[in-house]
Amino acid sequence: MKTPRIAWIQPEDQNRLRQPGDPQMIDDAPLVLREAMRSTAESRGCLSVPVDELDRLVEQNFPGRDLTDGQAARLGSEFDADYVVYGVLDGWKRGALFGRSTTVGFRLTLVDRSGAVLASLTHQGTAAQEDPSDAARHMAQQAADSLIAAWGGCAAGN
């Protein structure tokens, strides 16, 4: 079995929980999410395309984002990726002792080289007073494992 190459496109930030001037919001939430998924997949034997180059290509060609399945597949093909994971960060907010819980939410799509959708995932989670980055890392590991299963594993024996 050939080890697949994965293009991990940073999720588009459409955080519906963001409020102007909120000091607890971080701008790198999509990066935290992507890196946790990529790290999990690599620990399972998958190969990733160079993310810095992929990020530059995405920003140059789709600065406003709203990618289609075909566009995501074409971005991956620039790096000879077998599969592309892309999506949207829907929610990211730290909770409080009294009031709203920490919330992380995202939607992901997995496409192959032709742009055919192999899987769509929606993850939404809450936790009491937890750093949203910690919650996202845990959820991202679960998401990565689901995606790996959808494309049939990473390396021989996985």
Side-chain angles (χ1 to χ4, degrees), residues 14-152:
Q14 293 183 359
N15 187 357
R16 70 192 181 325
L17 303 175
R18 177 168 293 211
Q19 297 175 1
D22 187 343
Q24 294 187 15
M25 299 306 299
I26 59 172
D27 291 331
D28 64 347
L31 178 62
V32 168
L33 183 60
R34 192 263 309 266
E35 289 307 302
M37 287 187 295
R38 185 175 68 88
S39 175
T40 297
E42 289 178 356
S43 75
R44 309 280 194 274
C46 288
L47 302 174
S48 298
V49 304
V51 292
D52 291 339
E53 294 173 35
L54 178 60
D55 289 347
R56 276 193 294 278
L57 187 64
V58 170
E59 187 59 36
Q60 287 171 356
N61 292 287
F62 302 99
R65 292 292 199 65
D66 197 23
L67 293 174
T68 66
D69 301 334
Q71 290 167 333
R74 281 193 295 282
L75 285 164
S77 72
E78 292 292 321
F79 298 92
D80 196 31
D82 298 294
Y83 306 104
V84 179
V85 177
Y86 74 103
V88 174
L89 173 76
D90 290 321
W92 186 279
K93 182 159 181 68
R94 180 184 300 276
L97 180 59
F98 300 104
R100 184 176 218 133
S101 297
T102 295
T103 302
V104 176
F106 54 92
R107 294 174 281 138
L108 301 172
T109 302
L110 168 66
V111 296
D112 66 10
R113 289 174 182 247
S114 70
V117 175
L118 301 177
S120 295
L121 302 175
T122 300
H123 278 259
Q124 181 77 24
T126 60
Q129 302 171 11
E130 185 174 344
D131 182 338
S133 294
D134 292 339
R137 283 184 194 97
H138 178 71
M139 292 169 62
Q141 289 171 349
Q142 294 173 339
D145 285 338
S146 294
L147 294 167
I148 291 166
W151 67 62

